[in-house]
Amino acid sequence: MSAEQKTEAEAPKNGDDDTAEKKPPVFRRPLFWIILVCVVGAVVIGGTFYWLDARQYESTDDAFVDAHIVRIAPIVAGTLKEVADVDNRHVEAGRLLAVIGAEGPEARVAEADANAKQALAQFEQSQAQVLAAQASRDQAAAQARAPIANATKAAQDLARYQELLRIDPSAVAGQQLDAARAHARATAAEAAAAARQVSSADANVAVARRQIGAARALVEARQAQISQARVTLGDNRLVAPISGQVVNRQVDLGSYVAPGTQLMAIVPDHVWVTANFKETQLKLMKIGQPVTIRVDAYPDVQFKGHVDSIQRGAGQAFALLPPQNATGNYVKVVQRVPVRIEFDAKNGPDPRHYPLGPGMSVVPTVKVR
């Protein structure tokens, strides 16, 4: 091929390069800027709406289901004679959970009952003694009437003789006057002895009545012993103090237990959420604000709740070994504050219909605005 032909063949290619060089760049095209402005505007508007919505809520993943777990433990030692088969089952308050062998307490109840019967018999005997002492006193009083009457008559006779002697010394013989005086002294002594017998009978009545009081106190003491023995006997029967689910059973029939040994535990029906929010999240948080609760075990269920209380103090302040910040190496760390959140079964799913238990992870979201 000649040089002219090569020049003609290369001519179109050079024309295409010039055309390509004359095309404007993409960032100079109006369509590019229109699309870019639309995208940026959408991002700004979307971000603004997201920020306006997100600023209304405070959330944390440092939260868990909490409850006051009741641990069942005896206060007496013995061998388990009966254990209810209630593992991981719901029980009502008052349900019998376990029975400990109670030969000793039963014997103490029988002994206390016998002592109470003996004290009651002594009380009845004291009452009879009061009646007997009162009868003896009445008899002594009746027997004392005659000597007192004789003493009164003798004193009156002596007084008449003395009056006659004063009027007419010859009207009364000296022997007669001496006899009247002797008779008056004798009857007065007899009357005094009778009065002392009545006083002694009165003292016996008072003593008998005090014995009634002592016998009544003894009866009350024996009855208190019966009550105490029955309480001790009742301590051998372990019942559920609250309604809830029995968990962590550690004993079986025939096991020997000592006082304080944990037999099982009960998770109550009432549970709540303990959420450890950062202290910087508490600025707008108040009691009563609504909360959306999501449990990790049930991600599709949205529980409802409200802020019940906010602990006055960070969690680290109640640790076994609180931090000592009075050093030169202090580094400020955002602290966590426990917030108690109660479930609202009326406004959402009832947590009692789900096996929620202490320690399960949740994510609460509090609406603060």
Side-chain angles (χ1 to χ4, degrees):
M1 183 179 294
S2 62
E4 295 179 356
Q5 291 177 346
K6 290 182 180 180
T7 304
E8 292 177 357
E10 293 176 356
K13 295 182 179 180
N14 295 334
D16 293 341
D17 293 341
D18 295 339
T19 304
E21 291 177 358
K22 292 180 181 180
K23 289 182 179 180
V26 175
F27 61 86
R28 291 185 179 182
R29 296 179 181 180
L31 182 60
F32 170 78
W33 290 105
I34 293 173
I35 295 175
L36 180 61
V37 169
C38 292
V39 171
V40 172
V43 171
V44 171
I45 294 173
T48 301
F49 279 109
Y50 175 79
W51 177 78
L52 291 175
D53 180 71
R55 67 193 293 266
Q56 301 178 23
Y57 302 94
E58 293 290 354
S59 181
T60 181
D61 58 357
D62 187 0
F64 54 91
V65 178
D66 204 352
H68 290 310
I69 301 175
V70 178
R71 292 172 172 79
I72 307 300
I75 61 175
V76 296
T79 303
L80 292 177
K81 297 174 58 178
E82 181 179 346
V83 180
D85 185 15
V86 289
D87 295 0
N88 295 327
R89 296 182 183 177
H90 189 275
V91 296
E92 298 295 332
R95 170 72 183 274
L96 181 63
L97 300 178
V99 178
I100 302 175
E103 291 77 7
E106 289 178 352
R108 285 193 289 272
V109 169
E111 181 182 2
D113 188 43
N115 292 336
K117 291 179 179 178
Q118 181 181 5
L120 183 60
Q122 293 177 354
F123 174 72
E124 294 174 350
Q125 182 180 0
S126 299
Q127 288 181 322
Q129 289 177 351
V130 168
L131 295 177
Q134 186 66 41
S136 299
R137 191 268 176 196
D138 294 340
Q139 182 179 1
Q143 292 176 352
R145 294 192 185 96
I148 293 174
N150 293 333
T152 302
K153 184 177 180 301
Q156 292 174 351
D157 292 342
L158 178 60
R160 284 194 296 270
Y161 286 142
Q162 291 176 344
E163 182 64 22
L164 289 175
L165 182 62
R166 186 181 64 81
I167 297 173
D168 186 3
S170 62
V172 179
Q175 184 178 2
Q176 189 176 8
L177 182 60
D178 293 339
R181 287 175 179 170
H183 183 62
R185 293 193 188 98
T187 54
E190 292 175 357
R196 285 194 295 271
Q197 290 180 354
V198 172
S199 299
S200 177
D202 289 335
N204 291 336
V205 171
V207 170
R209 288 177 176 171
R210 283 194 290 270
Q211 288 178 350
I212 285 184
R216 182 183 291 109
L218 183 60
V219 170
E220 293 176 353
R222 299 305 186 193
Q223 290 176 345
Q225 290 179 354
I226 291 179
S227 300
Q228 180 62 37
R230 287 177 178 172
V231 168
T232 303
L233 181 62
D235 292 337
N236 291 68
R237 298 172 59 85
L238 302 178
V239 299
I242 60 172
S243 299
Q245 186 179 33
V246 177
V247 297
N248 196 26
R249 173 180 160 184
Q250 302 179 6
V251 294
D252 204 349
L253 188 66
S255 300
Y256 178 82
V257 295
T261 303
Q262 180 175 332
L263 308 184
M264 59 192 75
I266 298 179
V267 176
D269 295 332
H270 178 218
V271 296
W272 61 89
V273 173
T274 298
N276 298 309
F277 284 95
K278 297 179 181 178
E279 55 186 336
T280 55
Q281 295 178 289
L282 302 179
K283 179 180 179 181
L284 300 176
M285 195 171 297
K286 298 178 182 179
I287 296 174
Q289 290 176 336
V291 184
T292 301
I293 305 170
R294 292 189 180 276
V295 183
D296 290 2
Y298 306 99
D300 299 330
V301 181
Q302 186 172 349
F303 296 94
K304 299 296 183 180
H306 66 274
V307 176
D308 179 74
S309 61
I310 302 174
Q311 179 174 293
R312 184 169 293 184
Q316 55 88 19
F318 304 97
L320 182 61
L321 296 175
Q324 177 55 261
N325 296 330
T327 64
N329 299 323
Y330 172 70
V331 177
K332 183 177 180 179
V333 178
V334 177
Q335 301 298 327
R336 296 274 180 168
V337 178
V339 176
R340 177 165 172 165
I341 300 172
E342 292 285 350
F343 287 93
D344 290 336
K346 295 181 180 180
N347 301 327
D350 192 342
R352 292 175 295 181
H353 298 163
Y354 298 85
L356 299 181
M360 299 181 69
S361 299
V362 302
V363 178
T365 303
V366 182
K367 192 175 189 307
V368 296
R369 294 179 186 270

